[in-house]
Amino acid sequence: MKADRTDDPQRQMLRERLESILITTEKAKSWHDEAERLRDLVNQDGYVPIRTRLASEDLDFLAGARAELLRLSELGIRLLDLHQPRDAGGITSDTAHPILRCRSCMWRWPCPTFRAMTESFGPGTDPSLPTAPS
């Protein structure tokens, strides 16, 4: 009888941290619509003099949002640096479009990691962001 393979503790800790960030983020309310309305209220000093009610979940989210977003952005850039195409070196009849593989994981390009990043952060995922040129 084989013993069940336990998950790597470092991987499990990272997964729990990411799930914690996700839960905290989901509990906080979105400020997207409010930010649009508040933008018109910016005074000459560059501030919006408002009073608002914040739930404890909103405060928890706001307290760590900047640091979490910085870490997430750094992770994305590091993953993008790791997962990039390279010529697979195979023989092809179309020399203008050689077969490409991921430099890191060696999957056929685009690799699953790059596709997942594109689905999450690529053009068309957020209507407020500019799209890539065609």
Side-chain angles (χ1 to χ4, degrees):
M1 181 160 116
K2 283 187 175 179
D4 288 339
R5 196 173 150 214
T6 58
D7 215 8
D8 175 24
Q10 194 172 22
R11 183 181 179 281
Q12 185 63 30
M13 184 182 71
L14 181 58
R15 181 173 189 83
E16 288 171 4
R17 177 74 176 127
L18 290 170
E19 287 175 348
S20 170
I21 293 168
L22 182 65
I23 290 167
T24 303
T25 305
E26 286 175 339
K27 285 182 180 178
K29 70 177 184 175
S30 172
W31 282 76
H32 186 269
D33 294 337
E34 294 296 325
E36 289 302 315
R37 283 184 239 144
L38 295 174
R39 202 167 305 283
D40 295 332
L41 301 175
V42 174
N43 63 19
Q44 67 231 20
D45 297 328
Y47 297 100
V48 178
I50 62 164
R51 292 186 185 158
T52 187
R53 292 179 186 207
L54 295 171
S56 62
E57 290 86 4
D58 295 330
L59 293 173
D60 293 341
F61 173 75
L62 292 172
R66 183 178 183 277
E68 299 296 347
L69 189 56
L70 285 170
R71 282 195 285 267
L72 179 65
S73 299
E74 289 170 2
L75 171 65
I77 290 169
R78 289 175 66 187
L79 283 172
L80 200 56
D81 288 343
L82 283 172
H83 294 272
Q84 52 184 298
R86 78 171 198 184
D87 190 342
I91 299 171
T92 179
S93 58
D94 187 2
T95 56
H97 299 91
I99 296 171
L100 300 175
R101 293 208 175 268
C102 176
R103 181 175 70 167
S104 184
C105 64
M106 296 305 294
W107 278 73
R108 192 145 185 194
W109 189 257
C111 71
T113 302
F114 183 80
R115 283 196 311 263
M117 290 179 69
T118 301
E119 289 170 9
S120 296
F121 300 106
T125 57
D126 186 347
S128 67
L129 297 175
T131 56
S134 300

